[in-house]
Amino acid sequence: MQIIREVHQRVLRLYNKKYFRYLHRKVNWDSGAICIFGARGTGKTTMIVQHIAQKYGNSDEALYIAGDHPEVLTTGLY
């Protein structure tokens, strides 16, 4: 779990926090579940990480987990 938290912190530092995609304003971030789909490289992850950084900062209230990260693949989400 510590590795996943370190990845979360690294991701928050790396993503651009100045430019927000137009879709960011249209997403109901208070929904219980949000599905964002689209082609690779269109900014889906960037938008999610920007939202986490903007709303939660460095608190432990949110955690970005990349499902394809090797630690997640070997450990699992449960």
Side-chain angles (χ1 to χ4, degrees), residues 6 11-12 18-19 22-23 25 27-28 33 54 59 73-74:
E6 290 170 8
V11 167
L12 286 182
K18 295 177 184 174
Y19 173 76
Y22 77 95
L23 186 61
R25 292 185 306 271
V27 173
N28 180 3
Q54 180 185 43
S59 76
L73 292 173
T74 58

Side-chain angles (χ1 to χ4, degrees), residues 29-74:
W29 295 103
D30 295 324
S31 293
I34 300 169
C35 180
I36 300 172
F37 58 92
R40 292 181 66 188
T42 57
K44 300 176 299 291
T45 300
T46 299
M47 184 172 62
I48 292 167
V49 171
Q50 284 177 329
H51 175 73
I52 291 171
Q54 180 185 43
K55 183 166 183 171
Y56 301 103
N58 289 329
S59 76
D60 290 335
E61 293 181 54
L63 180 65
Y64 172 75
I65 299 173
D68 60 350
H69 188 276
E71 183 70 19
V72 174
L73 292 173
T74 58

Side-chain angles (χ1 to χ4, degrees), residues 7-20:
V7 170
H8 166 80
Q9 291 298 324
R10 191 175 329 123
V11 167
L12 286 182
R13 283 193 307 271
L14 292 176
Y15 277 89
N16 179 1
K17 296 173 186 79
K18 295 177 184 174
Y19 173 76
F20 284 82

